[in-house]
Amino acid sequence: MKDPVLVQLLQEIDAAELTAALRCLRDEAHRRMDALFPSLPLDEYYRQLNGVHDALIRRTVALAEAELARSGMGSPPVPYAYLLFGSGGRKEQTLSSDQDSGIIYEDAHSDEETLAAQKFFTNLSARAVALLQEIGYPPCEGNVISSNPQWCQPESEWKRQLESWFETADWEAVRYLLIVADCRHIHGSGELLERLKRHYYSDMLAKPVIVQRMLDNTIRHKMLIGVFGQLLKEQYGEDAGSIDIKYGAYIPMVNAVRLMAVQSQLRPTSTLERLHALEQAEVVTAEEAAAYSEAFLFFLKLRMIATENNEDGMYMNNGKLANHHLTKEMTEELKQSLKVGKRLQRQVQKLTLGKLK
Amino acid sequence: MVKKMVLTMGAMILMFPAMAFADAPSTAMLNTGLNSLWVMLAAILVILMQGGFILLEAGSTRMKNAGHVAGKTIFTFGLGSLIYWAVGYGIAFGEDGNLLFGLGKFFYNPPILYGENAGLSDSVFFIFQLAFATISLSIAWGGFAERAKLSSYLIFTVVFVGVIYPVVAHWIWGGGWLAEDGAQDFAGSTVVHLSGAVAALAATILLKPRIGKFNKDGSSNQILGHNQVYTALAVLFLWVGWFGFNAGSTVAIETGFFGYVAFNTQIAAAAGAVAAMLISWALLGKSDITTMLNGGLAGLVAITASCAFVEPWAAVVIGLIAGVLVFFSQKFFEKLRIDDPIFALSVHGAAGVWGTLANGFFATPELAATAGVGKAGLFYGGGWGQLLVQLESVVVAGVFVFIVSFAVLYVIKKAIGFRVTEEQELIGLDLSEHGAYGYPEQMKKAQQNLNA
């Protein structure tokens, strides 16, 4: 992060007072990142890009807070944390990621205060989501977003919710649990999330069967490579001939690494950090970690190249890589990487089922 | 009960001894009767295949065209029967013809009873052949689906059943010039299936693809049929009917050869379905139901020519290859931007060609002798001769059917128009051609949603 242009950009973001200014800064950052894409090592590229996203979101939440104060709703009644899930939580946002967010706030002491806190954070999240939309972050389609009451709760409620998810362990609950595994705090008190995660992992130890359900959810998306080593491309429609990098390469890998990390009680949220931690914990060998990381970085790269549409001012991306982007060498590398991904999926499966025995 | 019967019978024989001996039908008479009964049964099975086509075509197309697609099959089966009776049968099997076409038996008036040594009832043979001709016709409709005017169905039925199909049938089955060359097409991979498919090809080329099938950039869209259960049921209907189609084509039961033919038919169809399922699974990552169903049909189409000429292992190979072929053929036609809504070109065309050629490889000398047509294939020491004859019959029949069909349909296109208007196509042929939807409630609801 020694790039002086970027450092200045981040400073400007931290100082911005209006969303319009933030939008301009985001556009500028995008241009900057576009220019850097060919030259920067990919992990560094993602670090910088996500640094920008983090700064933008952090600043926007602060602006939302300030707006609430100005309109007479006061300041946060209790400490809180603004949380990122999904690619934001994993520090893997592209130029066109959506909002996956939540809020956790400290328990109030009386019912009255609880109600007041609930009201305040409902307003705050609504404001933050709206402002983020103004800067071009579309809301999450799956409704994992701070303005959804389910993802905006006091600490005790969050813990109760986790427990009930561990208890139910149906498909939906397991999905939520896996989402929480990627959670990262971006603004406010870090201690709150720390406590929640501790709770998560102790619940997890108490219910080893959950891992089996997580495995089912995790290997649901298949690597898009056929038995003859051929790429499995879209057959019909406007995306015919393209390959679904998001759900056919990137997500399966994210899922597999997450499950391994969660099983080993490792806390990092980014896939590459998780792989590193898994290597340290000797769950995977150094060679495996290197191979998985390399394949994953390649998917990240293709994900960046995949089509980008600017719809209604929102940065969008369907994660599908059009055929014309793929050179011969890239196709070859993609096939190799997908095979590595398949190996990883098998390893996770073996690991999980082995532990359950 | 049994005791009672034996007693009664015994009493009857005592009282009327003549009953036991006199007037017993001759062996030849019995033979003819049994043959006729078998072929009549086979004809009924083949006619029931029209039910298969109704379900196949309706299931593979959209709700808004369902009534039209299903109903027109009955209509053209009716019209086709009259035309075949009046003209087609005479051209195919009339005795006064030459190597190119038959003459006689127009407005056919068969003998009321069969003669002692006839071998088969003439009326039954006619019905059996009529069933084949109309099956070929229904295959051709695959190329017309969802966009051709009803009037074009009417005119094409007359020409196809009156001339096109009977000429090919005469060449290969009616003592025509390909029969002289020894072309082996036991139950009609070429005569019935390829002819129908080639007519469908001419139609679909002239009609152009359905609205929304292809995108400007060359990619294609999947226009899914409205009922996959119908399509699957259709395949079962056709599969069962095929025992009439192939095994019935022995037109005799004496030696029990029909059993062997049925046996080959079954294992080839099974191989086709399995091969198509596996190839689509392997290449697409997900097994495709439509492809699997088409694979079963392709196995049946392919074994149609060869069921009487090959050994069981070869039947399996023929079916397996047909199943794989149908998958690639579907992709191939899509690449060419030829819209094939019911997959007639792949199922009946590609597999029909393959099945006919397969004889050139797999026909055994014994079976060729049993069937009394042609020689052994390449793998059984017959050399290239039979393969060349098979190739000749495929090319000649294909080119002939294509040229005549194309010409007729081209004239229809220029004279009265072949395709419905864009608006009619969008609202559906049920409404534009017949005035009522096959699924009135659902379509009414869809319309309301559209207007809302």
Side-chain angles (χ1 to χ4, degrees):
Chain A
M1 286 279 217
K2 290 291 172 285
D3 182 356
V5 182
L6 204 71
V7 171
Q8 204 200 327
L9 204 64
L10 291 177
Q11 280 169 358
E12 282 175 43
I13 290 172
D14 282 340
E17 289 294 339
L18 294 167
T19 47
L22 283 174
R23 177 66 198 240
C24 287
L25 288 166
R26 180 176 183 191
D27 292 343
E28 200 183 319
H30 275 212
R31 279 193 294 277
R32 171 94 196 134
M33 296 315 295
D34 271 339
L36 287 174
F37 183 62
S39 58
L40 223 52
L42 210 72
D43 47 346
E44 181 57 29
Y45 175 87
Y46 264 89
R47 230 186 326 272
Q48 293 195 9
L49 176 61
N50 279 273
V52 172
H53 282 309
D54 283 2
L56 283 166
I57 297 166
R58 193 177 293 129
R59 185 64 196 157
T60 310
V61 177
L63 287 181
E65 218 180 283
E67 231 180 72
L68 250 56
R70 267 203 307 282
S71 59
M73 287 186 228
S75 52
V78 286
Y80 80 101
Y82 202 81
L83 310 174
L84 291 188
F85 303 98
S87 62
R90 292 190 305 270
K91 304 181 202 167
E92 285 160 13
Q93 296 201 69
T94 60
L95 294 173
S96 50
S97 291
D98 54 6
Q99 300 188 39
D100 305 290
S101 56
I103 285 179
I104 179 170
Y105 51 92
E106 228 166 60
D107 293 320
H109 299 294
S110 68
D111 287 354
E112 210 170 296
E113 281 170 2
T114 306
L115 231 70
Q118 189 188 1
K119 194 170 164 220
F120 177 86
F121 289 109
T122 305
N123 286 326
L124 178 68
S125 58
R127 239 11 254 155
V129 168
L131 292 182
L132 281 167
Q133 244 173 299
E134 284 175 28
I135 324 176
Y137 294 98
C140 167
E141 279 172 19
N143 210 12
V144 178
I145 196 155
S146 60
S147 54
N148 175 356
Q150 192 185 348
W151 300 96
C152 177
Q153 311 245 31
E155 189 183 348
S156 56
E157 275 305 305
W158 261 110
K159 288 180 177 165
R160 232 177 37 81
Q161 189 161 265
L162 282 185
E163 275 161 24
S164 83
W165 285 340
F166 275 107
E167 204 53 51
T168 341
D170 61 4
W171 193 87
E172 191 74 5
V174 168
R175 180 174 155 252
Y176 292 146
L177 287 172
L178 290 171
I179 288 171
V180 172
D182 289 349
C183 180
R184 186 164 65 92
H185 112 279
I186 188 159
H187 179 79
S189 153
E191 178 59 26
L192 279 165
L193 179 63
E194 195 50 46
R195 289 205 294 264
L196 187 68
K197 284 257 169 131
R198 257 198 308 267
H199 196 84
Y200 181 96
Y201 283 103
S202 66
D203 269 355
M204 173 118 182
L205 281 179
K207 290 211 66 176
V209 189
I210 196 79
V211 184
Q212 170 69 47
R213 307 303 309 271
M214 285 181 167
L215 180 70
D216 297 340
N217 204 305
T218 287
I219 54 173
R220 181 169 50 101
H221 293 289
K222 302 271 179 280
M223 291 280 170
L224 287 183
I225 188 155
V227 286
F228 300 123
Q230 83 281 21
L231 297 179
L232 300 176
K233 296 177 173 175
E234 297 289 317
Q235 298 286 314
Y236 295 100
E238 21 180 273
D239 294 317
S242 67
I243 179 151
D244 190 347
I245 289 292
K246 185 171 178 188
Y247 288 105
Y250 166 74
I251 290 285
M253 198 117 186
V254 165
N255 284 347
V257 174
R258 179 200 297 118
L259 186 61
M260 271 186 163
V262 167
Q263 280 190 71
S264 308
Q265 307 256 327
L266 301 170
R267 305 294 175 89
T269 57
S270 103
T271 304
L272 288 169
E273 286 169 9
R274 278 172 173 164
L275 279 169
H276 184 69
L278 284 166
E279 186 192 337
Q280 299 289 312
E282 293 181 356
V283 179
V284 299
T285 65
E287 291 81 45
E288 284 167 343
Y292 296 153
S293 300
E294 196 187 337
F296 186 70
L297 278 167
F298 187 65
F299 295 152
L300 286 180
K301 182 170 157 191
L302 294 182
R303 200 163 152 250
M304 289 303 303
I305 301 173
T307 31
E308 258 180 65
N309 317 305
N310 206 322
E311 279 173 31
D312 305 329
M314 294 293 149
Y315 286 102
M316 308 276 264
N317 175 335
N318 70 359
K320 288 179 184 166
L321 184 67
N323 201 22
H324 61 87
H325 283 305
L326 279 171
T327 62
K328 214 169 201 162
E329 292 78 38
M330 279 165 76
T331 306
E332 213 29 64
E333 194 176 348
L334 178 55
K335 285 180 182 172
Q336 291 310 320
S337 305
L338 286 168
K339 278 181 199 154
V340 171
K342 238 181 168 169
R343 207 169 76 211
L344 170 66
Q345 283 190 319
R346 274 199 300 273
Q347 191 176 356
V348 178
Q349 214 162 350
K350 239 166 94 182
L351 193 78
T352 310
L353 297 176
K355 269 196 185 160
L356 283 176
K357 266 176 208 158
Chain B
M1 182 76 195
V2 176
K3 222 173 175 181
K4 235 181 212 168
M5 267 172 68
V6 172
L7 276 174
T8 319
M9 296 273 282
M12 296 283 272
I13 289 172
L14 280 176
M15 281 191 282
F16 311 100
M19 266 189 75
F21 305 103
D23 276 350
S26 69
T27 320
M29 193 77 173
L30 272 178
N31 208 13
T32 305
L34 286 173
N35 287 347
S36 302
L37 189 58
W38 164 233
V39 177
M40 187 65 223
L41 175 64
I44 291 168
L45 283 172
V46 177
I47 289 169
L48 269 177
M49 285 170 73
Q50 294 291 354
F53 280 109
I54 288 175
L55 288 172
L56 186 73
E57 232 190 299
S60 310
T61 51
R62 287 161 294 180
M63 221 174 221
K64 62 183 177 182
N65 301 318
H68 157 80
V69 158
K72 72 99 197 16
T73 302
I74 297 295
F75 161 68
T76 56
F77 176 54
L79 179 61
S81 300
L82 295 177
I83 300 296
Y84 195 71
W85 165 71
V87 188
Y89 186 63
I91 291 181
F93 295 101
E95 279 132 356
D96 308 324
N98 47 45
L99 288 178
L100 288 178
F101 50 86
L103 284 172
K105 296 189 177 172
F106 296 118
F107 298 94
Y108 188 46
N109 189 8
I112 297 167
L113 302 172
Y114 55 75
E116 189 174 340
N117 291 309
L120 183 67
S121 150
D122 289 325
S123 337
V124 170
F125 184 70
F126 170 85
I127 292 176
F128 191 54
Q129 290 303 328
L130 176 147
F132 274 56
T134 48
I135 287 292
S136 191
L137 182 68
S138 285
I139 293 166
W141 298 147
F144 288 60
E146 297 200 285
R147 62 214 194 282
K149 282 184 174 176
L150 189 67
S151 52
S152 67
Y153 281 96
L154 199 152
I155 299 168
F156 193 71
T157 299
V158 174
V159 183
F160 188 82
V161 179
V163 181
I164 301 175
Y165 174 85
V167 167
V168 178
H170 180 76
W171 288 353
I172 297 180
W173 290 340
W177 65 285
L178 288 171
E180 294 286 298
D181 286 352
Q184 296 167 340
D185 185 10
F186 188 68
S189 284
T190 294
V191 177
V192 179
H193 295 279
L194 183 62
S195 297
V198 168
L201 175 67
T204 199
I205 288 175
L206 280 167
L207 280 168
K208 307 230 161 58
R210 288 168 294 170
I211 294 171
K213 175 61 192 174
F214 295 103
N215 300 318
K216 282 202 179 99
D217 64 358
S219 60
S220 55
N221 299 311
Q222 209 170 10
I223 300 181
L224 292 171
H226 86 279
N227 192 332
Q228 209 159 45
V229 179
Y230 277 2
T231 319
L233 200 53
V235 172
L236 187 77
F237 252 84
L238 290 167
W239 192 321
V240 171
W242 230 285
F243 288 110
F245 205 93
N246 284 2
S249 290
T250 56
V251 293
I253 60 165
E254 300 108 349
T255 56
F257 187 48
F258 69 94
Y260 184 78
V261 169
F263 173 92
N264 272 349
T265 301
Q266 176 65 17
I267 54 179
V274 171
M277 178 88 163
L278 292 179
I279 193 79
S280 71
W281 201 346
L283 292 180
L284 303 176
K286 291 207 164 98
S287 66
D288 183 45
I289 298 284
T290 308
T291 305
M292 184 270 292
L293 295 174
N294 287 341
L297 293 179
L300 287 163
V301 170
I303 203 64
T304 296
S306 41
C307 48
F309 295 97
V310 302
E311 294 185 329
W313 74 269
V316 173
V317 172
I318 289 168
L320 287 173
I321 292 178
V324 172
L325 182 69
V326 83
F327 173 81
F328 287 106
S329 174
Q330 284 170 208
K331 299 277 159 212
F332 171 75
F333 284 114
E334 214 153 58
K335 271 254 157 66
L336 291 181
R337 297 172 68 94
I338 292 176
D339 189 10
D340 185 13
I342 327 292
F343 304 101
L345 308 184
S346 300
V347 168
H348 301 276
V353 169
W354 159 240
T356 309
L357 293 181
N359 274 333
F361 296 108
F362 300 108
T364 75
E366 298 79 25
L367 286 164
T370 307
V373 188
K375 300 192 303 281
L378 186 59
F379 299 155
Y380 284 87
W384 296 89
Q386 191 58 41
L387 186 59
L388 285 175
V389 172
Q390 296 303 100
L391 184 66
E392 177 196 27
S393 64
V394 164
V395 172
V396 168
V399 169
F400 168 75
V401 174
F402 186 80
I403 289 175
V404 181
S405 301
F406 195 89
V408 172
L409 294 170
Y410 187 79
V411 171
I412 292 176
K413 186 173 174 173
K414 290 296 156 192
I416 58 165
F418 190 6
R419 185 167 176 158
V420 295
T421 65
E422 205 174 309
E423 193 193 359
Q424 290 170 326
E425 188 175 336
L426 290 176
I427 60 167
L429 276 73
D430 278 11
L431 207 59
S432 83
E433 304 300 283
H434 310 281
Y437 279 119
Y439 290 94
E441 288 97 337
Q442 284 86 341
M443 292 311 297
K444 201 172 158 196
K445 217 177 271 168
Q447 213 116 55
Q448 280 164 350
N449 292 342
L450 213 67
N451 295 336

